[in-house]
Amino acid sequence: MPCNPRYEILFEPVRIGPVTAPNRFYQVPHASGMTNALPRVRAAFREAKAEGGWGVICTGACSIDPSSDDAPLPFATMWDGNDIRAHALMTEAVHRHGALAGVELWHGGASVMNRTSRLPPLSPSGIPWMATHVGFMGNLRPKTMDKADIRGVLRCQADAARKARTAGFDIVYVYAGMGYLGYEFLLPEYNHRSDRYGGSIENRVRFVREMIEITKDAVGKDCGVALRVSLEELRGRPGRNQPSEAHELVELLADVPDLFDVKMDSSPTDCSASRFTGEGSHEPVIDFVKSLTKKPVVGVGRFTSPDTMVSQIRRGVLDFIGGARPSIADPFLPAKIREGREAEIRECIGCNICISSWHDGVPVRCTQNPTAGEEWRRGWHPERVGRTDKPERILIVGGGPAGLECALTLGRRGHEVMLADSSRTFGGRLTFEKTLPGLSAWNRVVDYRLGRLNEMSNVSLYPESPLGADEIIELSPDRVVLATGARWTDMLYSSLEIPVGRLDHPDVLTPDDIAGGRLPKGPALVFDFDNYYMGGVLTEHLAAQGIPVSYVTPAGQASAWTIMTNELPLVHRALARRKVAVTTLHLLKAFDGETATLAHLFTGEEVRVACRSLVIVGLRLPRGELFQTLTERADGLAAAGIRGVDRIGDALAPGAIAHAVHSGHKLAREIGTDIRWQHYRRDTPIVDAVADFDMRTAAEYSNSRKSVRRSSFGIASNKEF
């Protein structure tokens, strides 16, 4: 189908200084957990987006010097010749598809601890960043930068910019956001200087201006220079000659960079989860930028609707539609819009599992896109799967996230698929979870897959079809896949911090009970040691029903693991709005129908809380009864011609929805192949005998690389190096 005329504006080319982006789809810099230690994984991950139509593809944070060392968190480097070679894999991969490649050069300033380099962190005035959790290693505090330090950082930026140009990048960034060094110069809380770099907004902007100017001098006239800047805090500060200091900053730098990349100040607001923030949430902060500069502006807002994208362009908010999370969820989002296939977009659900990957220090993962990070490791393409030479009749029992993904991928491979679920609707756990406060967008996992399955003639869907062992054997498929999910238990949590023993009382409930329509008596108490979203959001849900409810956890915060998904402060605010009392660091010891006995996790001191019912959000265990029965009837399976029974998703190992989708996809890719039990390929760093070779040698290397023949995702061979 042709592109909808309403969306053609999204495919107009836009100049960024001396270079031209082929369209308005701009994959902004974002963390991927793929450092220079995983150069082929990183290159293939970015290449998928270029192939899918994103006009600009950027790296994540790329350190300019060992004084910006974020280990053990994953970060890239642009320090030496090895780094040039590693990044060249990515630029070549992106250029193969006609996209521009951008690099986010970065100095973390006081936000890094330099654990590996053991150099003093740098800061405009020696003020630590987020001192509550940065600065633990002996309470090392940053050094106040003198003029020599400022000159040194400028020199490192210029050196890294030249290396970036040699590696083939078309756009080079100066980063002044998210608490990093340039940002620290902009805010008076961090910048107490009395010299030409402190005081007035004109002086506080000076360091950033010099970083842009020296970068432009370094890269020459054929490379664009972008400024990435956080505006949220400055937008809230009145200016002397403009409505805010954010306005004054943009006015002062209006003609200096080739592009403004504008964002928020902290992760919970910059990439807020859909549970708390809708599409386009940045607009109230960044809507003024284009009125003060003629340079192109890119911003984000978890854009998934092409109508919203077009609105941003036509109303003069943005020139480029920035995408980080949406580009991970669907690398082919631009191509699908251009080809009139909007219904096939895998829309980002805003769960922020991708962000948790960086906090975990691993390659990015995505709930919607199980191929993210697996393009090189497993050879998975986000849109293509290999057709099978030997189609099989495969029965999948369970239509939740794992079963739906498995059915879709098996169907695309050419198998005959029967997907059965005992419920009236498909969706599994999401049938209930999508109804909880803020989680409606999560049902995109179900909607996308059902939409595609309903188009496939080789897939049959059977709702309201409970199947036992007898029915399965009677159907006699070639293979059975069990996606029967998991159940919440009423087990307690011990002082050894493990689930132990059941709490047997008629007024003890689990999330499954509430999903089934049973509500607790009030006042109720939610005891949460699952520590992800369910305990907090279920408490919100009960409070919204008018049930007096309190929340208790042995962790240090409510829904403690949501710090990994940038939701933690927002969870606490949501509970406070509902007037929910939150008790941390306490175990549940007993419940008698009128009182719950709690004990402090460390001191053992007991306290009693009045409540008439208790909801335990803790251990989940697989629903394994059907698998056990089928295992015991191996002879009957063999007689029916059933060659195997597999489990996927929560039926195999309970986890987040992202794990379930990945599990279903992986099995579907591997059924009937000889890679079923093989592990993924391990990437290795690119290492020269002499790493720090001079720029002339680097340039010769870069030119020689252009002659190397590569296919799509051909970054696969280690032997080249």
PDB file of all heavy atoms in Angstrom, residues 414-432:
ATOM      1  N   GLY A 414       5.593 -21.039   8.685  1.00  0.00           N
ATOM      2  CA  GLY A 414       4.881 -21.946   7.792  1.00  0.00           C
ATOM      3  C   GLY A 414       4.290 -23.161   8.451  1.00  0.00           C
ATOM      4  O   GLY A 414       3.752 -24.046   7.767  1.00  0.00           O
ATOM      5  N   HIS A 415       4.336 -23.245   9.775  1.00  0.00           N
ATOM      6  CA  HIS A 415       3.722 -24.372  10.473  1.00  0.00           C
ATOM      7  C   HIS A 415       2.202 -24.180  10.547  1.00  0.00           C
ATOM      8  O   HIS A 415       1.699 -23.049  10.452  1.00  0.00           O
ATOM      9  CB  HIS A 415       4.287 -24.490  11.891  1.00  0.00           C
ATOM     10  CG  HIS A 415       5.737 -24.874  11.940  1.00  0.00           C
ATOM     11  ND1 HIS A 415       6.186 -26.140  11.663  1.00  0.00           N
ATOM     12  CD2 HIS A 415       6.845 -24.133  12.236  1.00  0.00           C
ATOM     13  CE1 HIS A 415       7.508 -26.180  11.797  1.00  0.00           C
ATOM     14  NE2 HIS A 415       7.930 -24.978  12.130  1.00  0.00           N
ATOM     15  N   GLU A 416       1.475 -25.268  10.729  1.00  0.00           N
ATOM     16  CA  GLU A 416       0.042 -25.211  10.990  1.00  0.00           C
ATOM     17  C   GLU A 416      -0.147 -25.133  12.498  1.00  0.00           C
ATOM     18  O   GLU A 416       0.254 -26.054  13.227  1.00  0.00           O
ATOM     19  CB  GLU A 416      -0.668 -26.449  10.440  1.00  0.00           C
ATOM     20  CG  GLU A 416      -2.171 -26.415  10.646  1.00  0.00           C
ATOM     21  CD  GLU A 416      -2.859 -27.675  10.168  1.00  0.00           C
ATOM     22  OE1 GLU A 416      -2.241 -28.430   9.377  1.00  0.00           O
ATOM     23  OE2 GLU A 416      -4.005 -27.922  10.597  1.00  0.00           O
ATOM     24  N   VAL A 417      -0.737 -24.055  12.965  1.00  0.00           N
ATOM     25  CA  VAL A 417      -0.766 -23.770  14.397  1.00  0.00           C
ATOM     26  C   VAL A 417      -2.206 -23.751  14.899  1.00  0.00           C
ATOM     27  O   VAL A 417      -3.085 -23.148  14.277  1.00  0.00           O
ATOM     28  CB  VAL A 417      -0.095 -22.416  14.708  1.00  0.00           C
ATOM     29  CG1 VAL A 417      -0.107 -22.133  16.208  1.00  0.00           C
ATOM     30  CG2 VAL A 417       1.336 -22.393  14.173  1.00  0.00           C
ATOM     31  N   MET A 418      -2.412 -24.404  16.036  1.00  0.00           N
ATOM     32  CA  MET A 418      -3.669 -24.332  16.766  1.00  0.00           C
ATOM     33  C   MET A 418      -3.366 -23.695  18.121  1.00  0.00           C
ATOM     34  O   MET A 418      -2.548 -24.228  18.878  1.00  0.00           O
ATOM     35  CB  MET A 418      -4.270 -25.725  16.967  1.00  0.00           C
ATOM     36  CG  MET A 418      -4.602 -26.455  15.670  1.00  0.00           C
ATOM     37  SD  MET A 418      -5.063 -28.190  15.978  1.00  0.00           S
ATOM     38  CE  MET A 418      -3.445 -28.918  16.311  1.00  0.00           C
ATOM     39  N   LEU A 419      -4.015 -22.567  18.417  1.00  0.00           N
ATOM     40  CA  LEU A 419      -3.798 -21.878  19.686  1.00  0.00           C
ATOM     41  C   LEU A 419      -5.097 -21.927  20.481  1.00  0.00           C
ATOM     42  O   LEU A 419      -6.126 -21.395  20.057  1.00  0.00           O
ATOM     43  CB  LEU A 419      -3.384 -20.421  19.443  1.00  0.00           C
ATOM     44  CG  LEU A 419      -3.203 -19.551  20.689  1.00  0.00           C
ATOM     45  CD1 LEU A 419      -2.101 -20.093  21.593  1.00  0.00           C
ATOM     46  CD2 LEU A 419      -2.907 -18.108  20.300  1.00  0.00           C
ATOM     47  N   ALA A 420      -5.047 -22.589  21.630  1.00  0.00           N
ATOM     48  CA  ALA A 420      -6.246 -22.785  22.446  1.00  0.00           C
ATOM     49  C   ALA A 420      -6.059 -22.151  23.813  1.00  0.00           C
ATOM     50  O   ALA A 420      -4.963 -22.194  24.393  1.00  0.00           O
ATOM     51  CB  ALA A 420      -6.534 -24.278  22.606  1.00  0.00           C
ATOM     52  N   ASP A 421      -7.148 -21.567  24.322  1.00  0.00           N
ATOM     53  CA  ASP A 421      -7.114 -20.997  25.668  1.00  0.00           C
ATOM     54  C   ASP A 421      -8.459 -21.254  26.324  1.00  0.00           C
ATOM     55  O   ASP A 421      -9.503 -21.239  25.662  1.00  0.00           O
ATOM     56  CB  ASP A 421      -6.831 -19.499  25.609  1.00  0.00           C
ATOM     57  CG  ASP A 421      -6.429 -18.945  26.967  1.00  0.00           C
ATOM     58  OD1 ASP A 421      -7.316 -18.706  27.810  1.00  0.00           O
ATOM     59  OD2 ASP A 421      -5.219 -18.753  27.181  1.00  0.00           O
ATOM     60  N   SER A 422      -8.426 -21.481  27.627  1.00  0.00           N
ATOM     61  CA  SER A 422      -9.670 -21.780  28.338  1.00  0.00           C
ATOM     62  C   SER A 422     -10.543 -20.543  28.527  1.00  0.00           C
ATOM     63  O   SER A 422     -11.748 -20.658  28.755  1.00  0.00           O
ATOM     64  CB  SER A 422      -9.347 -22.398  29.708  1.00  0.00           C
ATOM     65  OG  SER A 422      -8.553 -21.506  30.473  1.00  0.00           O
ATOM     66  N   SER A 423      -9.974 -19.353  28.421  1.00  0.00           N
ATOM     67  CA  SER A 423     -10.723 -18.125  28.642  1.00  0.00           C
ATOM     68  C   SER A 423     -11.491 -17.696  27.392  1.00  0.00           C
ATOM     69  O   SER A 423     -11.203 -18.153  26.280  1.00  0.00           O
ATOM     70  CB  SER A 423      -9.782 -16.995  29.059  1.00  0.00           C
ATOM     71  OG  SER A 423      -9.122 -17.312  30.263  1.00  0.00           O
ATOM     72  N   ARG A 424     -12.421 -16.775  27.587  1.00  0.00           N
ATOM     73  CA  ARG A 424     -13.192 -16.259  26.454  1.00  0.00           C
ATOM     74  C   ARG A 424     -12.351 -15.369  25.559  1.00  0.00           C
ATOM     75  O   ARG A 424     -12.647 -15.205  24.383  1.00  0.00           O
ATOM     76  CB  ARG A 424     -14.397 -15.473  26.970  1.00  0.00           C
ATOM     77  CG  ARG A 424     -15.435 -16.300  27.705  1.00  0.00           C
ATOM     78  CD  ARG A 424     -16.581 -15.423  28.189  1.00  0.00           C
ATOM     79  NE  ARG A 424     -17.246 -14.759  27.075  1.00  0.00           N
ATOM     80  CZ  ARG A 424     -18.177 -13.826  27.218  1.00  0.00           C
ATOM     81  NH1 ARG A 424     -18.530 -13.435  28.436  1.00  0.00           N
ATOM     82  NH2 ARG A 424     -18.740 -13.272  26.158  1.00  0.00           N
ATOM     83  N   THR A 425     -11.320 -14.748  26.128  1.00  0.00           N
ATOM     84  CA  THR A 425     -10.464 -13.844  25.362  1.00  0.00           C
ATOM     85  C   THR A 425      -9.013 -14.260  25.540  1.00  0.00           C
ATOM     86  O   THR A 425      -8.633 -14.849  26.561  1.00  0.00           O
ATOM     87  CB  THR A 425     -10.630 -12.390  25.831  1.00  0.00           C
ATOM     88  OG1 THR A 425     -10.311 -12.310  27.228  1.00  0.00           O
ATOM     89  CG2 THR A 425     -12.050 -11.900  25.599  1.00  0.00           C
ATOM     90  N   PHE A 426      -8.213 -13.952  24.541  1.00  0.00           N
ATOM     91  CA  PHE A 426      -6.785 -14.209  24.637  1.00  0.00           C
ATOM     92  C   PHE A 426      -6.097 -13.053  25.366  1.00  0.00           C
ATOM     93  O   PHE A 426      -6.591 -11.925  25.373  1.00  0.00           O
ATOM     94  CB  PHE A 426      -6.183 -14.384  23.238  1.00  0.00           C
ATOM     95  CG  PHE A 426      -6.625 -15.642  22.556  1.00  0.00           C
ATOM     96  CD1 PHE A 426      -7.684 -15.628  21.655  1.00  0.00           C
ATOM     97  CD2 PHE A 426      -6.001 -16.842  22.824  1.00  0.00           C
ATOM     98  CE1 PHE A 426      -8.105 -16.781  21.025  1.00  0.00           C
ATOM     99  CE2 PHE A 426      -6.408 -18.011  22.203  1.00  0.00           C
ATOM    100  CZ  PHE A 426      -7.462 -17.984  21.297  1.00  0.00           C
ATOM    101  N   GLY A 427      -4.976 -13.353  25.960  1.00  0.00           N
ATOM    102  CA  GLY A 427      -4.221 -12.326  26.675  1.00  0.00           C
ATOM    103  C   GLY A 427      -3.566 -12.804  27.943  1.00  0.00           C
ATOM    104  O   GLY A 427      -2.639 -12.180  28.443  1.00  0.00           O
ATOM    105  N   GLY A 428      -4.053 -13.938  28.502  1.00  0.00           N
ATOM    106  CA  GLY A 428      -3.423 -14.460  29.706  1.00  0.00           C
ATOM    107  C   GLY A 428      -3.428 -13.448  30.833  1.00  0.00           C
ATOM    108  O   GLY A 428      -4.444 -12.812  31.129  1.00  0.00           O
ATOM    109  N   ARG A 429      -2.297 -13.241  31.457  1.00  0.00           N
ATOM    110  CA  ARG A 429      -2.188 -12.359  32.614  1.00  0.00           C
ATOM    111  C   ARG A 429      -2.603 -10.924  32.275  1.00  0.00           C
ATOM    112  O   ARG A 429      -3.082 -10.187  33.139  1.00  0.00           O
ATOM    113  CB  ARG A 429      -0.761 -12.394  33.161  1.00  0.00           C
ATOM    114  CG  ARG A 429       0.276 -11.960  32.153  1.00  0.00           C
ATOM    115  CD  ARG A 429       1.703 -12.243  32.597  1.00  0.00           C
ATOM    116  NE  ARG A 429       2.155 -11.308  33.609  1.00  0.00           N
ATOM    117  CZ  ARG A 429       3.411 -11.291  34.087  1.00  0.00           C
ATOM    118  NH1 ARG A 429       4.304 -12.173  33.650  1.00  0.00           N
ATOM    119  NH2 ARG A 429       3.758 -10.409  34.992  1.00  0.00           N
ATOM    120  N   LEU A 430      -2.417 -10.529  31.011  1.00  0.00           N
ATOM    121  CA  LEU A 430      -2.742  -9.160  30.626  1.00  0.00           C
ATOM    122  C   LEU A 430      -4.244  -8.903  30.585  1.00  0.00           C
ATOM    123  O   LEU A 430      -4.666  -7.744  30.604  1.00  0.00           O
ATOM    124  CB  LEU A 430      -2.112  -8.825  29.277  1.00  0.00           C
ATOM    125  CG  LEU A 430      -0.624  -8.472  29.343  1.00  0.00           C
ATOM    126  CD1 LEU A 430      -0.013  -8.400  27.958  1.00  0.00           C
ATOM    127  CD2 LEU A 430      -0.413  -7.161  30.089  1.00  0.00           C
ATOM    128  N   THR A 431      -5.042  -9.940  30.543  1.00  0.00           N
ATOM    129  CA  THR A 431      -6.495  -9.755  30.573  1.00  0.00           C
ATOM    130  C   THR A 431      -6.910  -8.986  31.818  1.00  0.00           C
ATOM    131  O   THR A 431      -7.793  -8.122  31.780  1.00  0.00           O
ATOM    132  CB  THR A 431      -7.204 -11.117  30.526  1.00  0.00           C
ATOM    133  OG1 THR A 431      -6.771 -11.828  29.356  1.00  0.00           O
ATOM    134  CG2 THR A 431      -8.712 -10.950  30.491  1.00  0.00           C
ATOM    135  N   PHE A 432      -6.239  -9.284  32.928  1.00  0.00           N
ATOM    136  CA  PHE A 432      -6.485  -8.550  34.169  1.00  0.00           C
ATOM    137  C   PHE A 432      -5.556  -7.349  34.304  1.00  0.00           C
ATOM    138  O   PHE A 432      -5.998  -6.238  34.630  1.00  0.00           O
ATOM    139  CB  PHE A 432      -6.303  -9.481  35.372  1.00  0.00           C
ATOM    140  CG  PHE A 432      -6.288  -8.773  36.700  1.00  0.00           C
ATOM    141  CD1 PHE A 432      -7.388  -8.045  37.129  1.00  0.00           C
ATOM    142  CD2 PHE A 432      -5.173  -8.829  37.527  1.00  0.00           C
ATOM    143  CE1 PHE A 432      -7.384  -7.387  38.356  1.00  0.00           C
ATOM    144  CE2 PHE A 432      -5.158  -8.178  38.756  1.00  0.00           C
ATOM    145  CZ  PHE A 432      -6.264  -7.451  39.172  1.00  0.00           C
TER     146      PHE A 432
END
